[in-house]
């Protein structure tokens, strides 16, 4: 997962990516839109997008679902933008696969 994204931005860009994930999740489940309703897509992709778990897989599911439901291009491009930018620092992907600070462990016997 780490090789897909160079970094997991935090602060302003990270909040923007969190907002993008939340907007995409709400677009998938909003009744009355082309993609709306509680479909299997909504039940699978929305929790993954909201929490930021396996974001590339969730984004691809969302894009294919929106394209199959003949959503407007503005809604189909939204998941692709998230795919190119990555999940951000405020996601479980960043916690699981993000960069870590390596330190020395103390010797075992004092």
């Amino acid at each position: 997962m780490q090789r897909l994204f160079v970094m997991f931005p935090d602060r302003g860009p990270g909040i923007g990516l969190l907002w993008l994930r939340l907007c995409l999740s709400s677009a998938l489940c909003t009744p009355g839109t082309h993609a709306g309703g509680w479909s299997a897509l909504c039940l699978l992709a929305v929790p993954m997008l909201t929490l930021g778990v396996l974001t590339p897989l969730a984004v691809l599911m969302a894009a294919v679902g929106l394209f199959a439901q003949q959503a407007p291009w503005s809604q189909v491009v939204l998941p692709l933008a998230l795919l190119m930018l990555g999940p951000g620092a405020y996601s479980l992907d960043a916690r699981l696969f993000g960069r870590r600070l390596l330190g020395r462990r103390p010797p075992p016997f004092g």
Side-chain angles (χ1 to χ4, degrees), residues 12-66:
I15 292 172
L17 288 169
L18 174 65
W19 183 253
L20 185 63
R21 288 196 330 260
L22 293 175
C23 288
L24 179 59
S25 297
S26 66
L28 289 173
C29 288
T30 305
T33 61
H34 293 282
W38 290 97
S39 63
L41 170 71
C42 183
L43 294 176
L44 289 174
V46 167
M48 291 172 70
L49 284 170
T50 303
L51 296 174
V53 179
L54 299 176
T55 304
L57 177 65
V59 164
L60 288 176
M61 288 186 341
V64 168
L66 288 170

Side-chain angles (χ1 to χ4, degrees), residues 3 34 36 52 71 80 94 97 102:
R3 294 180 185 209
H34 293 282
L80 298 178
F97 307 111
L102 299 176

